[in-house]
Amino acid sequence: MNRLRIIPVDDVVVFPGMPVTLTVDVGDDERVLVVPRHDHVYAGVGVVAEVSERMRVAGRGLAVTLMGAHRATLRGAAADQDGVLRVDYESRPDQNPPPAVTRELEHEYRAVVDEILELRGDDGRLKSFVRSIAGAGALADTAGYSPDLSYSQKLQLLETFDVVERLKLSLQFQRDRLAELQVRKRIRDDVEDGAQKQQREYFLRRQMEAIRKELGETEGSVAEEYRKKIAEAGMPDAVREQAERELDRFERMGDANAESAMIRTYLDWLLAVPWAKRSEDRLDPVHAAGVLDADHEGLEDVKRRITEYLAVRKLRAERGMAENRRSGAILTLIGPPGTGKTSIGESIAKATGRQFVRMSLGGVRDEAEIRGHRRTYIGALPGRLVRALRDAGTMNPVIMLDEVDKIGADWRGDPSAALLEVLDPAQNHSFRDHYLDVEVDLSQVLFVATANVAESIPAALFDRMEVIRFDGYTTEEKVAIARRHLWPRQVEKNGLRLDEVAVADEVLRAVLTDYTREAGVRQLERELGKLLRKTATRIADGSATAPVGIDQAAVRDALGRPKVFHEAAVRTSVPGVATGLAVTGVGGDVLFVEAADMPGKGGLVLTGQLGDVMKESARIALTYVKSHASALGIDEHALDGREVHVHVPAGATPKDGPSAGITMVTAIASLLTGRPVKSTIGMTGEVTLQGRVLPIGGLKQKVLAAHAAGLTEVIVPERNAPDLDDVPVDVREHMRFHIVGSVEEVLMIALGPHPLAVAA
Ligand SMILES: Nc1ncnc2c1ncn2[C@@H]1O[C@H](COP(=O)(O)OP(=O)(O)OP(=O)(O)O)[C@@H](O)[C@H]1O
Ligand SMILES: [Mg+2]
């Protein structure tokens, strides 16, 4: 047992690695035990510290600089003959676990601290100090420097000997601190913004008042004007009374008051709501079908569903049936980018004779965005819905809730909860915006939502939706869309007339297959725009004279080398690569699964940002191939002392889902048999350990992607066979479908002959 002089420090916690200067006398001692003390009570843990410097401070006697070395637990204490208090202690230096155990925690800890320092406006010195600390225990102890942690929190850290526990505790403290700093910053920013705006308004009003006085007008006339507007606005009684109450308050207060500016802003907003205005609703399915047809090529199914939806609304309205929670479900258009969702929404407005307002929900994380801030909040505004009504100018517009799959939720409240209320026919006739604080009737609004993927729509919202799927277009549909819509629009945009430029369908087809790879037509429209811009320039500078015919050479000249390659043939030329089909946020796509083997302990290595489900598929695939080795003609010792590496390339996009199962089996089997996979085949299907092939989702999108990528055969799980009806006929005609129930069949179809067998 060791014994050292005890140095109490009141309400301060000294950690190992921390230097402190104290005005105490330590005699000739080289080392002391520094122990935190609160209200005369000593902590049970202290820090053994080295005396690194002794000095004399003018008027205050002796001082020493101590450097904390390591933790120690206190045992018995006794005063020695000079009356100096010394204690027995047991050293408890940090036992750092292997770095792998704490790596994640350390990483996170550093990230959180960096962010805190960022918010605190650190000039980089503290950051580089924290960066220089090595060792998980020492890193956790850096929290000891934090000015925001309390004495008891620091003591708790000192008393935690286990390094992992300490790092976790420290991380938790720092996280709380970060959250608090973030809230504080936000409030400060909001207050500053609001205050500046109000000050400006105040000065402007003072000036206006002066001008009015010059002109002989008085406050009375401002109030009079409001009174007139309120009387004419056709507000519901409750709203009108509220408006009049505020107006009375305004009159009592006088114009040159900061508060009166706020009241005026409020009255302006109340008057901005088009309380009594609505456009004549046109619920005529025949007319609607006509409008939808004129604006959009193809999409027959979508247009039919929309027409039906309008027909049902019309019938219910005619028969005086109330909106019911299920029947009033909100129309939701789901599909990849550029497939015409937003633009169909506009057409719905046109077809029903309503105004159209688009409200993008992407990135909205705050309930107040939807519902507004209360008026007590500085710089408050109404929410997006009220603003949408103002923009529409009517109470019955079509409001498009764009990107509902991208709303978030955090501590500021859940915007989807507010949306739920808005979309519920049982509640939305009395929607209360926090700022206006009166009931607004949203029941006449026709809401249409859009999203790229269904999975990320909050479940409670999804439950209320009537989903219409946009699966993407076939090549021929895209040609037709280009011919009838994109081309004329871009011709006009570039200052040309339709009779001045001519283009053949084959050329349009070449543009879309060689320069675009998408489910929709947005990129295509951009490329056509580029092409026409070049053409317009040539006509304008006299190097070409209208009419100009655009051929393949002109396309290459304007757009450069083709951007899209049909890579399946190249990729699958070696054994071990199979072509799979997937659905991502941007529609269907082909994806390659690569397998390789290398010396190792017989395990499986997986790379390419695979999700858990996909990793499981790979394991199942390997087990299946191993257990059927002899049937597949694979040497049973082929994997002795080797391991299999499965990779799914295509960059940083995370991939998941079970539908690559059979593709993985095929890649591994191809690798081990040495038989390459046929380059014309794409496949999709989940696989079981017994080798059954299970159905998957999104077949139509996958087949369209296979077709666009130049594949001609697709392997389809038995239970998905009925879904092939959804695939457009012109694609079906060009593809061969293999319907399979077992992995055996998959391999029989997909694996080519053994290269040696061909040579023989
Ligand atoms: N079937 C179609 N007929 C005519 N034009 C179309 C068709 N589909 C898409 N377009 C045109 O393609 C462009 C892109 O469509 P839009 O903006 O509606 O896509 P979106 O589905 O809303 O995409 P995002 O998910 O990225 O918002 C628009 O100019 C639209 O008019
Ligand atoms: Mg859109």
Side-chain angles (χ1 to χ4, degrees):
M1 191 67 63
N2 302 301
R3 174 171 278 215
L4 280 178
R5 181 194 293 254
I6 189 166
I7 305 288
V9 282
D10 283 316
D11 296 324
V12 172
V13 182
V14 174
F15 284 88
M18 200 186 257
V20 272
T21 301
L22 300 171
T23 49
V24 291
D25 180 5
V26 298
D28 292 330
D29 293 3
E30 292 296 323
R31 306 169 76 205
V32 295
L33 190 62
V34 181
V35 181
R37 187 169 67 174
H38 177 70
D39 270 349
H40 304 289
V41 181
Y42 283 92
V45 180
V47 167
V48 173
E50 312 273 352
V51 177
S52 64
E53 208 181 332
R54 292 162 204 273
M55 55 211 137
R56 188 165 287 282
V57 185
R60 293 175 61 189
L62 294 169
V64 286
T65 300
L66 303 171
M67 183 68 183
H70 58 76
R71 286 174 166 72
T73 346
L74 273 62
R75 300 283 184 231
D80 64 10
Q81 57 270 53
D82 319 325
V84 172
L85 189 62
R86 291 181 189 273
V87 293
D88 295 331
Y89 68 92
E90 182 190 341
S91 286
R92 301 290 296 266
D94 282 354
Q95 307 283 331
N96 276 320
V101 179
T102 51
R103 189 173 301 135
E104 289 280 298
L105 275 175
E106 283 188 49
H107 193 79
E108 170 131 32
Y109 182 83
R110 287 180 199 278
V112 170
V113 170
D114 265 4
E115 217 163 313
I116 291 176
L117 294 176
E118 195 73 43
L119 281 172
R120 286 206 163 259
D122 170 40
D123 59 6
R125 270 186 294 178
L126 287 174
K127 266 192 201 172
S128 59
F129 165 70
V130 175
R131 224 167 279 143
S132 72
I133 301 289
L139 188 65
D141 285 344
T142 53
Y145 288 98
S146 165
D148 300 327
L149 295 198
S150 65
Y151 171 78
S152 69
Q153 284 176 319
K154 289 183 185 174
L155 191 59
Q156 213 180 329
L157 282 177
L158 187 70
E159 286 168 345
T160 309
F161 296 115
D162 184 274
V163 167
V164 178
E165 283 311 309
R166 193 192 313 153
L167 191 52
K168 279 187 191 158
L169 188 64
S170 195
L171 177 59
Q172 187 203 326
F173 289 159
Q174 299 283 35
R175 269 209 203 108
D176 293 349
R177 216 179 135 206
L178 176 60
E180 198 186 314
L181 282 173
Q182 280 169 335
V183 176
R184 253 193 257 158
K185 175 166 187 317
R186 193 176 129 85
I187 293 173
R188 199 169 54 227
D189 288 353
D190 282 354
V191 169
E192 266 170 23
D193 281 0
Q196 263 165 21
K197 201 166 139 224
Q198 270 186 7
Q199 220 161 37
R200 207 175 102 82
E201 256 175 39
Y202 174 70
F203 283 117
L204 288 176
R205 288 209 190 285
R206 289 293 290 264
Q207 280 174 348
M208 199 156 82
E209 191 195 9
I211 295 171
R212 258 204 233 105
K213 264 195 191 129
E214 279 297 295
L215 295 174
E217 289 177 18
T218 58
E219 275 146 39
S221 65
V222 176
E224 254 349 282
E225 209 166 297
Y226 273 112
R227 203 170 294 286
K228 192 159 149 260
K229 282 193 199 153
I230 291 169
E232 287 166 358
M235 296 168 167
D237 290 346
V239 181
R240 204 192 57 244
E241 281 159 23
Q242 163 83 349
E244 282 165 356
R245 252 195 317 274
E246 289 292 317
L247 185 56
D248 290 345
R249 217 152 70 82
F250 171 74
E251 275 181 311
R252 278 199 305 277
M253 208 165 276
D255 203 7
N257 185 305
E259 169 107 23
S260 73
M262 271 165 67
I263 300 180
R264 285 185 63 155
T265 315
Y266 174 76
L267 287 174
D268 288 340
W269 272 112
L270 268 189
L271 289 165
V273 177
W275 299 103
K277 300 206 185 72
R278 47 172 312 180
S279 44
E280 197 49 56
D281 210 0
R282 192 162 179 180
L283 286 173
D284 171 2
V286 180
H287 169 74
V291 173
L292 293 174
D293 269 335
D295 290 350
H296 292 88
E297 201 57 41
L299 297 177
E300 299 312 333
D301 187 38
V302 172
K303 291 189 275 197
R304 184 177 48 76
R305 293 273 305 274
I306 292 173
T307 319
E308 285 168 6
Y309 179 88
L310 294 176
V312 170
R313 272 184 84 108
K314 174 182 167 157
L315 265 191
R316 293 190 72 97
E318 279 173 3
R319 305 192 167 171
M321 289 154 90
E323 296 280 2
N324 130 333
R325 275 174 84 114
R326 301 295 336 168
S327 74
I330 123 152
L331 206 53
T332 304
L333 316 176
I334 301 185
T339 46
K341 300 181 297 296
T342 304
S343 97
I344 272 270
E346 281 174 60
S347 286
I348 295 178
K350 208 156 110 190
T352 51
R354 295 175 179 229
Q355 295 296 319
F356 178 82
V357 198
R358 193 176 147 262
M359 195 169 126
S360 175
L361 296 172
V364 169
R365 308 171 69 90
D366 189 349
E367 188 182 358
E369 279 276 321
I370 310 274
R371 221 188 247 291
H373 287 290
R374 292 185 195 285
R375 278 173 73 194
T376 44
Y377 196 89
I378 296 174
L381 273 185
R384 297 245 199 144
L385 279 160
V386 167
R387 284 184 267 161
L389 287 178
R390 173 200 60 185
D391 293 346
T394 58
M395 292 303 271
N396 63 337
V398 171
I399 294 185
M400 171 159 274
L401 306 169
D402 234 353
E403 310 190 327
V404 272
D405 51 342
K406 306 212 173 53
I407 51 178
D410 62 14
W411 52 268
R412 277 167 269 170
D414 183 356
S416 62
L419 273 187
L420 266 181
E421 181 189 326
V422 168
L423 299 177
D424 182 353
Q427 300 183 47
N428 69 7
H429 56 84
S430 58
F431 172 74
R432 197 172 267 274
D433 179 272
H434 282 333
Y435 177 80
L436 293 187
D437 202 24
V438 291
E439 285 182 358
V440 181
D441 181 2
L442 294 176
S443 62
Q444 303 175 59
V445 175
L446 178 59
F447 288 102
V448 179
T450 79
N452 286 137
V453 284
E455 289 74 40
S456 30
I457 300 177
L461 270 181
F462 192 67
D463 197 44
R464 302 273 168 83
M465 294 176 162
E466 165 152 358
V467 171
I468 299 186
R469 289 193 189 269
F470 286 57
D471 286 319
Y473 299 111
T474 66
T475 308
E476 287 320 302
E477 284 170 336
K478 287 184 189 172
V479 171
I481 295 172
R483 164 71 60 206
R484 246 163 273 162
H485 299 275
L486 312 180
W487 182 260
R489 185 156 61 212
Q490 288 300 326
V491 165
E492 199 221 74
K493 241 191 191 157
N494 286 289
L496 299 168
R497 284 193 315 268
L498 271 176
D499 57 9
E500 288 181 308
V501 275
V503 69
D505 279 356
E506 297 90 82
V507 177
L508 290 177
R509 196 172 297 121
V511 171
L512 80 93
T513 55
D514 292 347
Y515 297 89
T516 71
R517 180 166 165 182
E518 57 178 351
V521 293
R522 196 169 278 140
Q523 182 69 22
L524 176 59
E525 179 159 11
R526 227 174 281 143
E527 297 295 333
L528 293 179
K530 222 192 280 176
L531 188 59
L532 284 164
R533 212 156 47 238
K534 294 265 158 83
T535 314
T537 316
R538 279 174 45 217
I539 293 178
D541 68 14
S543 57
T545 36
V548 179
I550 293 180
D551 56 9
Q552 308 268 13
V555 171
R556 264 191 94 100
D557 189 43
L559 304 182
R561 290 201 298 156
K563 291 181 196 151
V564 175
F565 307 97
H566 297 303
E567 47 183 346
V570 184
R571 296 290 277 274
T572 55
S573 61
V574 290
V577 182
T579 311
L581 304 172
V583 177
T584 68
V586 295
D589 203 356
V590 295
L591 108 191
F592 298 95
V593 173
E594 302 177 346
D597 71 334
M598 55 194 177
K601 280 186 255 148
L604 181 64
V605 181
L606 297 169
T607 51
Q609 292 237 39
L610 314 186
D612 287 340
V613 179
M614 209 167 193
K615 284 182 184 160
E616 276 172 15
S617 291
R619 273 185 214 112
I620 295 171
L622 181 60
T623 306
Y624 176 84
V625 174
K626 274 184 178 167
S627 60
H628 293 75
S630 65
L632 292 169
I634 298 171
D635 175 7
E636 67 177 294
H637 298 295
L639 279 175
D640 291 354
R642 304 193 68 76
E643 59 190 17
V644 174
H645 182 168
V646 172
H647 179 57
V648 185
T653 27
K655 315 163 187 84
D656 206 2
S659 72
I662 62 170
T663 321
M664 297 200 160
V665 176
T666 308
I668 297 174
S670 158
L671 171 76
L672 298 179
T673 54
R675 293 163 61 186
V677 180
K678 284 187 206 149
S679 65
T680 49
I681 291 192
M683 61 189 87
T684 175
E686 179 176 349
V687 70
T688 70
L689 274 179
Q690 275 73 40
R692 302 289 320 150
V693 177
L694 301 184
I696 44 73
L699 187 72
K700 177 177 168 193
Q701 297 196 38
K702 289 174 176 177
V703 171
L704 291 183
H707 180 64
L711 302 176
T712 52
E713 296 173 67
V714 175
I715 297 181
V716 177
E718 218 163 49
R719 300 229 313 262
N720 282 117
D723 303 344
L724 286 174
D725 291 347
D726 300 339
V727 178
V729 180
D730 59 317
V731 170
R732 245 187 292 166
E733 276 171 358
H734 290 102
M735 307 289 278
R736 216 177 126 200
F737 297 101
H738 303 278
I739 312 293
V740 298
S742 72
V743 173
E744 258 178 300
E745 296 166 68
V746 173
L747 295 177
M748 218 140 64
I749 296 161
L751 293 185
H754 203 286
L756 293 182
V758 176

